[in-house]
Amino acid sequence: MRRLVPAVLAALVLAGCTSGSDAVDVNDGGEFRFVEATPSGEVIPPGERATAPEFAGTLLGGASFSSAELAGDVAVLNFWGSWCAPCRVETPEFQEVHADLEDDGVQFLGLNVKETDEQFALAFVERFGITFPSLYDPRGEVALAFRDYPANAIPSTIVLDRESRVAAVYTGEVSQEDLRRVLDRVLEEA
C-alpha cells in the first residue's frame, strides 16, 4: 500500500500537468503560457542567429527607452512580473550578475509584463534592490515582438550578442551560474 500511494499521486500530478489548455489568463486578460524550461547553457551558433526585433517603450518611472540603446553590447532581456514566483528567485541573482558585468559590455533590461498597476512592479524592484532598468509593458507588446522565442512564458530570458542577434533563449527560471557561463561564451566571441 505504501508503494501504491506515491505512484497514484505521481499519476494524478502528471495528469493535471498535461490535461487541458496550457494557457494561463494573467491579470488583464493577456495570455501567457507556462512551458517546460529550456536546457541550460545552450548558445545558438553565430551563423544561425536571427536579428532581434526592434522595440521601444517606457521604463518604470517614466523615461523612454529604445532597443537601439543596447547596440554594441551583450544584452540580457528578462521578461518578468511581480506576480511570478520564479522571478522572485532569479531577479536578485540577475542583479548580482549585472553588478559584476555592467563594466564589461553587458546590459540588463527587465521587461515587466502583465502588471495591472505599475506600483506593483516598482515595489518589486525596490524590494529586491534591482538597479538595471525595466520597461513597463502591461499589454505584453514587447513579448509579442519576441513571440518566436517564446517570450510569452514568464519568466523568459533572451541573451543578445553584440550585433543584436538572439544568442540564447531561456523559458523558466535561469540559474546565476548558467547565465554567467552563457554570457562568458558570448563575450568571448569576436
Side-chain angles (χ1 to χ4, degrees):
M1 184 68 168
R2 284 188 170 167
R3 286 186 219 160
L4 183 60
V5 171
V8 169
L9 287 174
L12 289 172
V13 168
L14 287 174
C17 292
T18 58
S19 65
S21 171
D22 62 351
V24 177
D25 190 18
V26 178
N27 290 329
D28 63 349
E31 186 177 278
F32 278 73
R33 297 183 185 283
F34 293 95
V35 297
E36 183 178 344
T38 55
S40 61
E42 290 191 12
V43 176
I44 300 167
E48 297 175 20
R49 295 179 188 165
T51 300
E54 294 179 8
F55 61 91
T58 303
L59 296 173
L60 291 174
S64 296
F65 182 86
S66 168
S67 59
E69 296 177 42
L70 302 172
D73 287 334
V74 172
V76 177
L77 309 179
N78 179 245
F79 295 83
W80 66 275
S82 66
W83 42 266
C84 162
C87 300
R88 293 182 206 120
V89 174
E90 77 176 3
T91 304
E93 291 188 0
F94 281 17
Q95 174 59 38
E96 289 180 28
V97 178
H98 163 69
D100 290 345
L101 298 178
E102 68 181 319
D103 294 333
D104 296 334
V106 178
Q107 292 191 55
F108 277 68
L109 177 67
L111 295 115
N112 174 257
V113 296
K114 297 300 175 185
E115 293 288 351
T116 56
D117 186 336
E118 185 178 6
Q119 295 304 312
F120 294 129
L122 290 166
F124 180 96
V125 167
E126 183 177 326
R127 175 181 176 199
F128 291 109
I130 306 306
T131 61
F132 57 84
S134 281
L135 276 178
Y136 181 56
D137 188 21
R139 295 185 350 193
E141 293 170 349
V142 177
L144 285 174
F146 282 91
R147 65 184 157 266
D148 294 336
Y149 292 107
N152 63 340
I154 303 301
S156 287
T157 302
I158 298 173
V159 177
L160 305 180
D161 65 17
R162 287 184 183 96
E163 297 176 32
S164 298
R165 298 176 303 174
V166 176
V169 178
Y170 296 94
T171 55
E173 184 180 328
V174 180
S175 74
Q176 182 179 153
E177 295 78 25
D178 191 58
L179 181 61
R180 286 180 186 274
R181 273 193 302 275
V182 166
L183 290 172
D184 287 345
R185 285 186 58 194
V186 176
L187 282 167
E188 289 173 359
E189 296 172 2

